[in-house]
C-alpha cells in the first residue's frame, strides 16, 4: 500500500501540468500505464491555440464555438480563451522552445481558426512541452513517478474517492490519496484506425461508469482528416493540420482540389470520406511540394522524416492521406476546477468533458484545455488539501474479473449511442 496527498493517473500534459502547479510540499504520486513519453500529448504536432492578446479573446471564442457546432459551454470557452495567454507565457518562461521571429511567437494556422494564433515548436510541439515539464517535475523531491502501472479501479466510499487500485508487474497495488486526479487520456486504442497511442483504451471511463460517476457527450468522437495512409495495423501517423495551415492542398486521385482545407475538422473529414467513396480510392492526396524544400524540411522535420521512411519525399510529391480517429470530446463531466460528480475525484485532459469543445474540437485546443484545467484543478486542491484527511478502507479485489469487465463497459455504452461507428472499433 502507498499513501499520498495527491494521486495523478496519467502523464500527458494535463497530468503533468496539474502536478507542476500543486504546492511543492505535497506528496504526489504520478502513475502511467506505459512510459512517461508514451502519451498522446507527446505525439502532438500542430501546436497550442492561444488568444494572441486581449482583443483576440472574442474571435478565439467564436472560432471555438463555430467548430464545436454551437454545442460548447460558453462560460468555459470564455474562461479558457482568457487564461490561454498566461499559460502560454508560463510555458515560455519554463523554457519551452516555441518558434519565434524577432523574439515574438511565430503563430501558425489550422482548420477553423480565422487567423494565425497557434504557438508551436516546429512539428513536435508535444514532445518539446512534455520534455520541459518532465525536466522540472523530476527535480521536485516530493513527486514520485510509477511507470507500467495500470489503473483497474477506484477505491470509493459513499461517493468519495479514497484512491486507486493498480496492476504493476502483475501485482495489485493500492494507492490511498486525499485527492485523485484522472488524466488518463482518450479512447483511440479502441479504434482500428487511430492516431492515438494503442494503450489508450478508455479504462477510466469504464471505471467511471461502474462507479456511477457522471459522463457527458459520450457520443462525440473526432476523426482527424489527414493521417498517413498505410496498409498496417499500427497506430496511424498524423500529418498535422498545420501543413494545411501553411498552404498544403488536398487533391483527389485526378489531381483536383475538392474542399477548402481550412474548414473545421469534421467538415474536411466528411469531404475526404465522400471523395474517397466517389473516386473508389483508399485515400486522397495532401500536397505541400509547391513550397520551398528547405522550408518544408526545417518547418516539418518530423513529418518529412517519417514520410521518407515510408518512401515519400514530401518536398517533391503529394502524401497519401485518409481520416483516422483522433480525439474524444466526451468524457467524465467536470466543472471549471475539474471536479467530477464524485467527491475528492478530479478529471483533466481528454478523459474529461469540460464543455470546451462541443461536438467537434477546434484544432490545437486540446493541449490548451489540459493546461488551463490542470492549473485550475491544482489551485482547488492547494486550497482544500490541508483540511482533508487521508482515509484507508480495507478492500478485497478480484483482479482478473475487473480487467475483463473494464475492457467492455465503456465500449458497450459507446456502441449503444454510436452504432454507426461499430465497424471502426476493434
Ligand atoms: C494536428 O497537428 O493536426 C493536430 C492538432 C490537434 O489535434 O489539435
Amino acid at each position: 500500500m502507498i499513501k499520498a496527498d495527491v494521486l495523478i493517473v496519467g502523464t500527458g500534459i494535463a497530468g503533468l501540468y496539474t502536478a507542476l502547479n500543486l504546492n511543492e510540499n505535497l506528496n504526489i504520486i504520478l502513475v502511467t500505464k506505459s512510459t512517461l513519453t508514451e502519451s498522446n500529448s507527446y505525439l502532438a504536432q500542430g501546436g497550442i491555440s492561444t488568444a494572441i492578446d486581449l482583443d483576440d479573446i472574442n474571435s478565439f471564442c467564436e472560432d471555438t464555438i463555430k467548430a464545436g457546432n454551437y454545442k460548447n459551454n460558453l462560460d468555459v470557452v470564455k474562461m479558457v480563451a482568457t487564461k490561454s495567454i498566461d499559460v502560454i507565457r508560463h510555458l515560455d518562461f519554463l523554457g519551452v522552445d516555441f518558434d519565434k521571429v524577432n523574439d515574438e511567437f511565430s503563430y501558425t494556422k489550422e482548420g477553423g481558426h480565422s487567423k494565425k494564433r497557434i504557438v508551436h515548436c516546429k512539428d513536435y510541439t508535444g514532445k518539446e512541452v512534455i520534455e520541459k515539464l518532465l525536466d522540472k517535475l523530476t527535480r521536485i523531491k516530493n513527486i514520485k513517478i510509477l511507470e507500467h502501472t495500470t489503473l483497474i479501479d477506484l477505491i470509493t466510499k459513499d461517493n468519495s474517492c479514497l484512491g486507486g487500485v493498480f496492476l504493476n508487474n502483475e501485482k495489485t497495488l493500492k494507492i490511498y490519496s486525499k485527492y485523485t486526479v484522472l488524466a488518463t487520456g482518450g479512447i483511440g486504442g479502441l479504434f482500428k484506425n487511430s492516431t492515438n497511442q494503442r494503450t489508450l483504451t478508455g479504462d477510466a471511463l469504464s471505471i467511471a461508469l461502474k462507479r456511477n460517476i457522471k459522463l457527458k457527450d459520450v457520443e462525440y468522437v473526432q476523426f482527424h482528416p489527414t493521417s498517413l495512409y498505410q496498409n498496417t495495423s499500427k497506430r496511424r501517423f498524423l500529418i498535422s493540420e498545420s501543413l494545411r495551415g501553411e498552404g498544403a492542398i488536398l487533391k483527389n486521385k485526378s489531381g483536383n482540389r475538392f474542399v477548402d482545407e481550412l474548414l473545421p475538422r469534421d467538415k474536411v473529414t466528411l469531404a475526404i470520406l465522400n471523395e474517397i467513396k466517389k473516386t473508389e480510392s483508399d485515400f486522397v492526396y495532401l500536397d505541400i511540394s509547391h513550397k520551398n524544400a528547405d522550408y518544408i524540411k526545417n518547418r516539418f522535420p518530423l513529418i518529412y522524416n517519417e514520410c521518407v521512411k515510408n518512401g515519400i519525399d514530401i518536398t517533391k510529391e503529394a502524401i497519401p492521406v485518409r481520416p483516422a480517429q483522433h480525439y474524444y470530446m466526451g468524457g467524465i463531466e467536470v466543472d471549471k476546477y475539474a471536479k467530477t460528480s464524485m467527491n475528492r475525484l478530479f478529471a483533466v485532459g481528454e478523459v474529461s468533458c469540460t464543455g470546451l469543445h462541443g461536438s467537434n474540437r477546434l484544432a490545437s485546443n486540446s493541449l490548451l484545455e489540459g493546461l488551463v484545467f490542470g492549473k485550475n484543478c491544482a489551485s482547488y486542491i492547494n486550497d482544500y488539501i490541508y483540511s482533508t484527511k487521508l482515509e484507508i478502507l480495507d478492500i478485497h479485489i478480484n483482479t482478473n474479473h475487473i480487467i475483463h469487465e473494464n475492457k467492455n463497459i465503456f465500449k458497450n455504452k459507446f456502441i449503444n449511442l454510436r452504432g454507426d461507428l461499430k465497424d471502426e472499433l476493434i
Side-chain angles (χ1 to χ4, degrees), residues 43-79:
L43 295 174
Q45 296 177 358
I48 313 178
S49 314
T50 177
I52 293 167
D53 51 32
L54 295 180
D55 290 340
D56 186 37
I57 290 174
N58 279 347
S59 157
F60 184 19
C61 290
E62 272 166 32
D63 291 348
T64 299
I65 294 160
K66 198 168 162 199
N69 299 309
Y70 303 93
K71 308 264 192 238
N72 323 56
N73 176 323
L74 300 189
D75 291 340
V76 168
V77 172
K78 189 131 199 232
M79 185 270 289

Side-chain angles (χ1 to χ4, degrees), residues 8-41:
I8 301 176
V9 191
T11 54
I13 195 166
L16 297 185
Y17 203 62
T18 304
L20 194 68
N21 280 282
L22 287 167
N23 290 342
E24 279 205 17
N25 62 355
L26 296 176
N27 282 313
I28 300 165
I29 306 245
L30 269 167
V31 181
T32 173
K33 188 178 182 180
S34 47
T35 62
L36 281 175
T37 52
E38 203 181 321
S39 64
N40 276 350
S41 300

Side-chain angles (χ1 to χ4, degrees), residues 57-264:
I57 290 174
N58 279 347
S59 157
F60 184 19
C61 290
E62 272 166 32
D63 291 348
T64 299
I65 294 160
K66 198 168 162 199
N69 299 309
Y70 303 93
K71 308 264 192 238
N72 323 56
N73 176 323
L74 300 189
D75 291 340
V76 168
V77 172
K78 189 131 199 232
M79 185 270 289
V80 172
T82 307
K83 291 197 170 189
S84 65
I85 298 171
D86 277 354
V87 291
I88 297 303
R89 269 197 210 136
H90 185 219
L91 291 186
D92 192 38
F93 168 78
L94 292 177
V96 172
D97 191 15
F98 289 119
D99 286 9
K100 290 187 178 163
V101 177
N102 299 332
D103 235 22
E104 298 287 332
F105 292 127
S106 155
Y107 297 102
T108 191
K109 197 173 175 190
E110 292 182 45
H113 286 274
S114 54
K115 62 165 74 97
K116 290 189 171 198
R117 64 158 76 84
I118 297 166
V119 292
H120 58 92
C121 317
K122 299 194 185 288
D123 61 351
Y124 47 77
T125 309
K127 175 176 184 296
E128 167 65 13
V129 173
I130 295 295
E131 285 176 356
K132 287 281 154 52
L133 293 180
L134 283 173
D135 182 55
K136 302 287 167 213
L137 285 166
T138 46
R139 292 163 199 259
I140 301 176
K141 73 174 185 343
N142 288 341
I143 296 187
K144 189 174 166 167
I145 297 174
L146 293 176
E147 293 182 301
H148 301 291
T149 304
T150 304
L151 178 72
I152 58 170
D153 209 349
L154 292 172
I155 305 169
T156 64
K157 185 184 152 199
D158 303 334
N159 197 41
S160 286
C161 180
L162 308 184
V165 184
F166 296 84
L167 209 59
N168 173 292
N169 271 331
E170 294 181 21
K171 287 203 184 97
T172 309
L173 171 70
K174 289 177 206 160
I175 304 180
Y176 288 90
S177 53
K178 294 181 182 173
Y179 289 112
T180 299
V181 182
L182 296 174
T184 49
I187 60 170
L190 297 175
F191 286 77
K192 288 179 202 149
N193 296 299
S194 172
T195 60
N196 291 187
Q197 295 289 7
R198 304 310 288 161
T199 43
L200 297 172
T201 47
D203 312 357
L205 298 169
S206 282
I207 295 168
L209 280 169
K210 204 166 55 179
R211 297 278 165 212
N212 290 322
I213 297 158
K214 275 196 199 153
L215 300 191
K216 191 170 182 305
D217 294 344
V218 179
E219 67 276 30
Y220 292 161
V221 61
Q222 180 173 74
F223 285 75
H224 193 288
T226 56
S227 72
L228 179 63
Y229 174 72
Q230 290 165 299
N231 204 358
T232 73
S233 60
K234 286 195 300 208
R235 180 177 74 71
R236 298 288 165 230
F237 180 75
L238 183 73
I239 306 292
S240 173
E241 199 155 323
S242 50
L243 248 84
R244 279 176 276 135
E246 300 293 342
I249 306 282
L250 279 164
K251 295 176 177 169
N252 63 17
K253 69 176 181 190
S254 313
N256 297 323
R257 198 170 164 220
F258 57 90
V259 65
D260 170 357
E261 290 78 6
L262 291 175
L263 287 176

